[in-house]
Amino acid sequence: MNRLLSLLLFLPLISFAQRPLTVGLNVTPLVIGTLDLQVEKPLGKITALQFGAGFRAQNSRNKTGSFLRMFDRFHALENNAFYFSVGGRIFEMPAPDHEYSYMAFDVFGIYYNETIKNIDHSIEQKKGFNVGASLTFGMVFPLPGRFTIDLGLRMGYFPPREEPPIYFLPGIGFTTLGLDLIGVKGGHVLPLVMVKYNLIKDKRTRIREQE
């Protein structure tokens, strides 16, 4: 009886573990010293749950700027921040080995701790924690083996900071206000080039590969 009860309790866990699971790395934030990871877990045929986490740890006190000058405006003396997110995505029914489109919504929790130099050369520390949200549109393309690449654009809102007016936060991206874009106070944008690896394949994929 105890064995039967244990089996009934563990069956749902075993079933959940056998569902597809992918882990991804967003390449674009690497140019600004940020690690951005994402885990995706399908819920149904066209829906999935996704989790994100990442951090930025950068010290520019002894440097003249970034190796790409276009990003210099997003560098303070010190940039330290981390984020976590949870969200969902809905996508087209993907055919095997074909690209498909998707739309995703995420909620972010972001903590930042930065040391900035003001216009009058005074040094000031800016830190805080807040919650934001984003909407992402993109396409997923198959790569050899268990890899796929997720190309998209994330557009989000995070409560604006007074200073500096232009900054970057991990997960939600670059501020749009003050750039050569249609800026919105509190608006952020982040290009996605997410390389993903399928840790656990679904049953249909495993059967198809054995044929």
Side-chain angles (χ1 to χ4, degrees), residues 76-132:
L77 293 178
E78 291 186 13
N79 297 103
N80 298 292
F82 69 85
Y83 90 94
F84 58 87
S85 68
V86 60
R89 64 167 55 194
I90 183 170
F91 42 82
E92 293 180 323
M93 177 71 74
D97 303 322
H98 285 78
E99 67 274 5
Y100 59 91
S101 62
Y102 73 90
M103 179 178 68
F105 176 79
D106 293 278
V107 176
F108 292 81
I110 304 175
Y111 171 80
Y112 59 89
N113 186 348
E114 300 180 352
T115 303
I116 66 172
K117 180 183 287 187
N118 295 317
I119 297 177
D120 61 0
H121 300 290
S122 62
I123 306 299
E124 190 175 359
Q125 189 176 35
K126 298 287 184 179
K127 61 181 178 179
F129 175 85
N130 220 323
V131 177

Side-chain angles (χ1 to χ4, degrees), residues 143-161:
L143 294 176
R146 295 191 177 196
F147 289 94
T148 58
I149 187 167
D150 185 338
L151 304 180
L153 184 65
R154 177 175 293 160
M155 296 165 287
Y157 176 84
F158 188 80
R161 296 158 51 183

Side-chain angles (χ1 to χ4, degrees), residues 41-106:
K41 189 79 174 178
L43 296 177
K45 293 182 178 180
I46 61 170
T47 58
L49 187 65
Q50 58 186 29
F51 302 92
F55 66 91
R56 185 185 188 190
Q58 194 169 61
N59 188 333
S60 302
R61 289 179 180 272
N62 301 321
K63 298 180 181 179
T64 56
S66 61
F67 70 96
L68 291 176
R69 298 300 299 273
M70 62 181 293
F71 294 114
D72 281 355
R73 67 181 75 184
F74 296 100
H75 287 250
L77 293 178
E78 291 186 13
N79 297 103
N80 298 292
F82 69 85
Y83 90 94
F84 58 87
S85 68
V86 60
R89 64 167 55 194
I90 183 170
F91 42 82
E92 293 180 323
M93 177 71 74
D97 303 322
H98 285 78
E99 67 274 5
Y100 59 91
S101 62
Y102 73 90
M103 179 178 68
F105 176 79
D106 293 278

